[in-house]
Amino acid sequence: MRKLLIDLFGLDRLYKIRKSRVVNYLPRLRQATRAYNYRYGQILRWSVDSREDTNYTYALTDDSLLYLAHTVAVVSGVSPATVQAYFREVQTDDALRDYVLEKTRTSSYKRVADLRVEFGRRLGWYALVRIMKPGVVIETGVDKGLGAVLLCSALLRNRAEGSPGRYYGTDIAPKAGYLLDGIYKEVGQVLYGDSITSLKAFDQPIDLFINDSDHSATYELEEYKVVLPKLTPNGVLLSDNAHVASSLAQLSLEVGRKFVYYPEVPKDHWYPGAGIGFSFL
């Protein structure tokens, strides 16, 4: 009877296949997890060394910086070498670095902020402002204000070169943006309240718009719809949430704008990285 069942249903072959899969299970498991196991060490180090619980700060890998330079070059129409020069400009800005460290050290938010200055993908923001020389930059979602003070440092350099501009941040949290102070506050301010409400009331042409507020696709899209009629002819829309939502890519398709996406790769950090979406003409 057993032989008959084996002949009829191929049970012997099925048994051999299952046995083979069990034998190969552990090697295949090791092969698949090898690409991720190093993250556990990074997580353990970060859990001990870091105080951050959101908006993590980290450097980017050398390759990731190179890709960011090429991406910004495509958006802005300059050479990648020009973009890299602006990266180096801010990376060697000791006054900015010392300022951020001191403000962090003396802030009531120091319990949730690390004493380090790493801008990650925001270096692309900085280079774009230095290249575009915008009159108005808006960032929705300010948090500590690291992006705000970085953008304002670019605007201060533009002003010194004869191209003044101003930064406006929006945030619903009444204490957001503690880093935006001192000389950087000369060219920037935070508008407190709901971002869409603030954007609707804003009555100036916008050259560069950066979405980094509520990370829901519908809210993000609503911000773009409010901003688009106020955007200057060569204005740029930037999504700092493009790794999560395709709102800007879809909108760009509908209104005839170009769109490129850049995924960052953090250096020596467990976080896999976020992504910037650029919408431009």
Side-chain angles (χ1 to χ4, degrees):
M1 177 63 71
R2 180 176 180 274
K3 185 177 183 304
L4 178 62
L5 289 173
I6 289 174
D7 291 341
L8 287 175
F9 299 106
L11 295 181
D12 189 50
R13 180 174 176 274
L14 182 62
Y15 170 76
K16 288 178 181 178
I17 291 174
R18 287 182 175 175
K19 183 179 179 181
S20 173
R21 287 180 177 173
V22 170
V23 170
N24 291 328
Y25 174 75
L26 289 178
R28 287 187 291 113
L29 183 64
R30 284 195 298 270
Q31 181 181 1
T33 58
R34 192 178 296 128
Y36 307 99
N37 288 342
Y38 71 99
R39 292 287 189 198
Y40 296 117
Q42 293 176 336
I43 290 170
L44 288 172
R45 286 193 298 273
W46 175 83
S47 63
V48 173
D49 296 339
S50 178
R51 300 173 180 176
E52 297 174 337
D53 55 13
T54 185
N55 282 332
Y56 313 120
T57 54
Y58 39 75
L60 301 181
T61 66
D62 291 342
D63 284 348
S64 189
L65 274 174
L66 177 62
Y67 301 152
L68 180 57
H70 277 281
T71 305
V72 173
V74 169
V75 174
S76 59
V78 302
S79 70
T82 298
V83 180
Q84 289 177 313
Y86 286 128
F87 287 174
R88 290 191 294 272
E89 178 180 85
V90 70
Q91 287 172 322
T92 57
D93 189 338
D94 293 333
L96 174 61
R97 185 170 298 274
D98 292 344
Y99 169 83
V100 172
L101 287 174
E102 183 59 24
K103 287 293 288 186
T104 302
R105 190 178 292 112
T106 57
S107 169
S108 60
Y109 289 87
K110 62 184 178 182
R111 61 183 177 80
V112 292
D114 292 345
L115 284 175
R116 55 184 291 171
V117 184
E118 300 290 357
F119 297 110
R121 64 192 177 280
R122 295 182 185 89
L123 290 172
W125 305 6
Y126 178 90
L128 202 55
V129 170
R130 292 290 283 130
I131 295 163
M132 289 179 61
K133 303 291 189 293
V136 170
V137 178
I138 294 184
E139 176 196 12
T140 60
V142 177
D143 192 53
K144 297 186 288 287
L146 186 62
V149 74
L150 176 68
L151 292 165
C152 286
S153 69
L155 290 171
L156 284 170
R157 288 184 183 271
N158 287 351
R159 186 178 71 176
E161 295 171 359
S163 298
R166 190 158 185 83
Y167 163 89
Y168 296 91
T170 70
D171 206 293
I172 200 168
K175 294 184 178 180
Y178 71 84
L179 287 174
L180 184 56
D181 203 354
I183 189 174
Y184 304 100
K185 205 170 184 178
E186 292 181 10
V187 293
Q189 66 188 88
V190 179
L191 308 174
Y192 294 101
D194 176 72
S195 292
I196 291 176
T197 301
S198 297
L199 291 172
K200 286 180 177 178
F202 195 78
D203 60 358
Q204 300 177 47
I206 301 169
D207 298 293
L208 175 60
F209 175 76
I210 302 171
N211 163 269
D212 194 18
S213 57
D214 186 324
H215 284 341
S216 71
T218 53
Y219 193 92
E220 181 181 348
L221 181 60
E222 186 62 26
E223 285 192 357
Y224 299 138
K225 288 182 176 180
V226 173
V227 168
L228 202 55
K230 305 181 183 186
L231 205 63
T232 56
N234 291 318
V236 174
L237 298 171
L238 190 156
S239 169
D240 202 55
N241 188 44
H243 59 297
V244 175
S246 61
S247 303
L248 187 55
Q250 293 289 347
L251 178 70
S252 299
L253 187 63
E254 292 171 10
V255 300
R257 296 175 63 87
K258 296 179 180 178
F259 178 88
V260 295
Y261 174 71
Y262 162 78
E264 68 174 0
V265 180
K267 181 179 181 180
D268 299 327
H269 199 284
W270 66 265
Y271 184 60
I276 306 177
F278 298 86
S279 176
F280 60 104
L281 293 175

